[in-house]
Amino acid sequence: MPMFRSIRNAIYSVYCIRDQFPRYMSDLLTEEEAMGALFAVRFRYVIGIALLASATANLSNIDTIWGYLVNYIAIGMYFLNTFVHLHILKQKDSRWKTKYDYISLFVDNVLITMTILNWYWIKGHGNPNFLVKTPLMVFYLLPLSLCLFQYRFSLVVFSFVCFLISYYSFIVLALHDPDAIASLDWYSYVLGDEIILSDALVSKPVIYLILAFAISYAIFRSLRMLLKFAASETQKTTLSRYFSPDLVSEIVSDPEVLGRGKRQKVTVLFSDIRGFTQFSELLDPEELSIFLTEFRRRMVRVIFQNKGSLDKFIGDAVMVTFGTPLPSIIPGEDSMNAVNAAKSMLEELKTWNEERKSIGQVEIRIGIGIHTGEVFCGSIGSEERMEYTVIGDTVNTASRIESACKQIGSPLIISELVWNEIGNPSEWVKNEGILLPGREQKINLYAIQNHF
């Protein structure tokens, strides 16, 4: 039936949530389980002290040496089981760690069963209904509750099954005893020697079953939250490679923003290392890799500080966008951020060159071009590999402006559109009628006077 299938699928999704965890998260979860097991075993000492206090408080009800022996032997075995379990968990490489969790639960349930039988023999007066109605039945909740310290559904199920076996064994024993008294009178059931069989068969097991489901669901919620948190952190880590921290927070709060392709106004920055081909020929591959890594690290840091988004690295070139995926609501702010980022890049490069000169390395020169305009912004590619980027004439023009740095002899050039958006500052020198490669119309470019 569809209803039973949906219930089965829901239970399966709960108990198989661990299959969704990647390998590194499974390893972390295993470590957390080990810590939870250690905490649970240490907490067992607290429970043991409470059990010892309870047994001592009921000494007046024991009138045989056998009663004393069974009670305190059971508690002694409980502490011994706890000590052995703790010793096993502290071993670095013990194949008994996981197995003994089940052994410990089994021992706990057996000790509770022995205690109930002991009190039945001492105070039951031969009435087997005592086994079903004893308040000691609540002690079965203790091993069940300890399962909550670990993220393993199997422990919850195992503890619940142990309880069911003990409880229904008591009922079977009561039914086969001629002294058992069945009744439908609730008063006699609660305060007398009689038992309502239908209630005994259902009520306590259902309550324990609900508790087992509650503990299982609590574990499931914890695992699901861990899975979502890890996915979010992984997403943040990935996004932080391309976007500034402020933008990462906005993107995570609205992940669909990266998937929605749209036309929007963006400021594009291109940067390129001058003479990189000749420079790279002097370095072996490992030295070249170290150089590019350090160069990119320094440039990306200042780009992010100015709210830029790293679109891509193209060899020694860097393509950066400002206003992606979310444009600024303040007119001209994206262009201002781009210009500030470019200046910071040149300042950072100046500092790095001083460090390089002090150890006998050659100086590095870069050219930067900035343009603003409308682009298509969104995820582009195939199902196998998607890339968030911007495309359009604005991107091509920004690249050509960067190439014009050699012609004009300036490390930083911006288009007239960018110059207008940043307030027409006087520190820029106008270069009129520049024909960029691949374009038919000439444009005006502005080069910064301070050559850094």
Side-chain angles (χ1 to χ4, degrees), residues 26 61 76 96 110-111 113 141-142 196 214 240 242 299 340 358 376 433:
S26 296
N61 291 311
W96 284 96
V110 169
L111 292 176
T113 302
L141 293 175
L142 294 177
I196 300 177
S240 65
Y242 303 96
M299 296 299 106
N340 289 337
S358 66
F376 175 81

Side-chain angles (χ1 to χ4, degrees), residues 36-47:
L38 276 171
F39 182 82
V41 172
R42 291 190 176 107
F43 189 73
R44 284 169 58 88
Y45 283 110
V46 178
I47 295 175

Side-chain angles (χ1 to χ4, degrees), residues 71-299:
N71 264 11
Y72 286 99
I73 287 174
I75 293 176
M77 291 180 65
Y78 174 85
F79 278 107
L80 178 62
N81 177 43
T82 302
F83 175 79
V84 172
H85 196 179
L86 184 60
H87 178 72
I88 290 175
L89 289 176
K90 287 184 176 180
Q91 301 298 314
K92 288 186 178 180
D93 300 311
S94 176
R95 58 189 181 89
W96 284 96
K97 280 187 178 182
T98 303
K99 296 178 182 177
Y100 204 85
D101 289 334
Y102 298 93
I103 295 174
S104 182
L105 283 175
F106 177 76
V107 171
D108 287 347
N109 282 275
V110 169
L111 292 176
I112 295 170
T113 302
M114 287 174 55
T115 304
I116 292 175
L117 288 172
N118 177 52
W119 280 97
Y120 163 63
W121 291 324
I122 295 173
K123 294 295 182 180
H125 303 299
N127 187 344
N129 291 347
F130 179 92
L131 294 170
V132 181
K133 298 166 66 174
T134 175
L136 295 178
M137 200 67 66
V138 73
F139 285 157
Y140 284 109
L141 293 175
L142 294 177
L144 183 62
S145 62
L146 287 175
C147 299
L148 191 56
F149 291 107
Q150 295 173 264
Y151 299 105
R152 288 158 60 190
F153 301 110
S154 55
L155 291 176
V156 180
V157 174
F158 181 79
S159 183
F160 178 66
V161 169
C162 288
F163 158 73
L164 287 182
I165 293 174
S166 297
Y167 180 74
Y168 281 114
S169 296
F170 293 153
I171 291 182
V172 170
L173 182 61
L175 291 176
H176 282 79
D177 194 300
D179 294 330
I181 305 172
S183 172
L184 295 177
D185 182 63
W186 190 259
Y187 182 86
S188 299
Y189 175 46
V190 175
L191 298 177
D193 296 335
E194 300 175 5
I195 184 172
I196 300 177
L197 185 61
S198 58
D199 181 78
L201 288 171
V202 176
S203 294
K204 285 189 180 70
V206 166
I207 291 172
Y208 279 71
L209 178 63
I210 291 172
L211 181 60
F213 269 117
I215 293 175
S216 296
Y217 188 67
I219 294 174
F220 170 72
R221 286 290 302 273
S222 299
L223 293 177
R224 189 170 65 173
M225 286 179 61
L226 179 62
L227 190 62
K228 288 183 176 180
F229 178 77
S232 176
E233 288 302 305
T234 301
Q235 184 185 38
K236 284 184 178 180
T237 301
T238 302
L239 292 173
S240 65
R241 300 173 184 172
Y242 303 96
F243 300 99
S244 65
D246 293 338
L247 280 175
V248 169
S249 299
E250 293 185 44
I251 295 170
V252 171
S253 64
D254 183 18
E256 293 299 320
V257 71
L258 293 181
R260 294 192 295 262
K262 59 180 179 180
R263 301 183 72 88
Q264 69 179 61
K265 189 170 179 292
V266 169
T267 301
V268 182
L269 178 154
F270 268 91
S271 170
D272 186 62
I273 299 177
R274 294 289 170 257
F276 179 74
T277 302
Q278 293 79 6
F279 170 76
S280 62
E281 291 176 352
L282 303 176
L283 303 176
D284 63 42
E286 183 177 357
E287 290 176 329
L288 181 60
S289 174
I290 294 173
F291 167 79
L292 283 176
T293 299
E294 179 65 11
F295 172 76
R296 291 173 177 179
R297 183 186 68 81
R298 288 174 177 268
M299 296 299 106

